[in-house]
Amino acid sequence: MPAATGFLPPETDGALLLLMAAHFDLSVIAVVGIILLIGIVKKNGIMLVDFAIQAEGLTPEEAIYQACIKRFRPILMTTMAALLGAVPMMVGTGVGSELRQPLGYAIVGGLALSQILTLYTTPIVYLYLDRLQHWLLSPRRHQAASPEAYPTPAE
C-alpha cells in the first residue's frame, strides 16, 4: 500500500501506514482526516516560507534558518493540538466509535510523520526554488538569449 502513495502528497504516508497497522480500511471518514491533515501541514509550510520571504537583509539560507527557529514553536503547538485532539477519537470506545476511529488514526499517523517531513523538506525546497529563480533571472542567461549577443552574419 505505501508504494501506491506515489501520486498522493507525502503527508498521507503516515496516515495510510497507521491505518494499515491498525487494520482499518480507507473509508470516507479516514479521507476526511487526510484532507484535514493536508491543510494543517500545508499551513505549516506556508508559515515558514512567508516568514523567510519577509526577512529583509538576510541571505535565503539565513532567512529560512531564522524562519525555522522562530516559527518552530507555533508550528509545533498547532500540530500537537490537532494530534492530541485526535487521540480520544483514536482510542475511544462506545457507540459509534468504529466510525470515528479511522479519523483519529489518520490524523495521528499523518501528523506524526508529516511534521518531521515538513520541517526538513520545506527549507530544502525553498532554497532550491530560490536558486532556480536566480538562475532563471540571471543577467548572463538573458544576455546570451538576446539577439545583440550574437555576431551579425557577414555579407
Side-chain angles (χ1 to χ4, degrees), residues 75-96:
I75 288 171
L76 192 61
M77 287 180 359
T78 303
T79 301
M80 292 307 292
L83 193 140
L84 293 175
V87 168
M89 284 189 285
M90 186 175 88
V91 297
T93 59
V95 179

Side-chain angles (χ1 to χ4, degrees), residues 29-124:
I29 201 76
V31 172
V32 169
I34 290 172
I35 292 171
L36 173 99
L37 165 73
I38 291 171
I40 291 172
V41 173
K42 296 302 176 198
K43 180 200 67 71
N44 291 343
I46 290 169
M47 282 175 50
L48 283 177
V49 172
D50 186 45
F51 192 88
I53 288 172
Q54 291 179 0
E56 295 179 10
L58 297 176
T59 65
E61 291 83 7
E62 293 169 343
I64 197 68
Y65 178 75
Q66 288 300 317
C68 289
I69 297 292
K70 293 189 177 169
R71 303 312 308 167
F72 178 72
R73 183 173 174 234
I75 288 171
L76 192 61
M77 287 180 359
T78 303
T79 301
M80 292 307 292
L83 193 140
L84 293 175
V87 168
M89 284 189 285
M90 186 175 88
V91 297
T93 59
V95 179
S97 65
E98 60 275 353
L99 180 67
R100 292 185 299 270
Q101 281 182 336
L103 176 65
Y105 276 96
I107 294 172
V108 169
L111 283 176
L113 182 65
S114 68
Q115 186 62 37
I116 296 167
L117 289 175
T118 300
L119 291 174
Y120 284 110
T121 60
T122 302
I124 294 168

